[in-house]
Amino acid sequence: MHGRKSLDRMFSDKAAPERTAAQWIARLNADDFSAQDAIVFREWLTANPEHAERFERATDLWDMVLEPHRRARRW
């Protein structure tokens, strides 16, 4: 589990929103994602409308990358 200070540094507004959104995608999919992580994520997401937009774009990209893998697993 990441500590609050560690998450705050990792996902600070100083980082480019695109990079931070990508970092959140990875963190949300981590095996050790915690309730504290969810709180910090929600704070970041709602702090700036651009964050939600960048996160949506990153999520779309993530889904496009995983789609061939998902289709292959269906066979």
Side-chain angles (χ1 to χ4, degrees):
M1 181 173 118
H2 291 275
R4 172 68 190 230
K5 287 182 183 178
S6 175
L7 282 171
D8 286 346
R9 255 191 333 269
M10 187 178 198
F11 300 112
S12 73
D13 284 341
K14 294 176 188 171
E18 295 86 3
R19 183 177 64 227
T20 304
Q23 290 171 325
W24 273 119
I25 295 281
R27 188 74 208 122
L28 289 165
N29 287 281
D31 291 337
D32 63 343
F33 185 76
S34 69
Q36 182 63 38
D37 294 340
I39 291 168
V40 177
F41 169 67
R42 181 61 55 196
E43 289 172 356
W44 175 80
L45 192 65
T46 59
N48 183 327
E50 183 181 11
H51 294 175
E53 180 183 318
R54 301 302 178 167
F55 183 74
E56 186 174 340
R57 286 185 189 176
T59 301
D60 290 346
L61 180 59
W62 180 263
D63 289 341
M64 286 182 351
V65 168
L66 290 181
E67 185 57 31
H69 176 69
R70 290 180 187 137
R71 277 190 261 171
R73 291 178 69 192
R74 289 184 210 153
W75 303 108

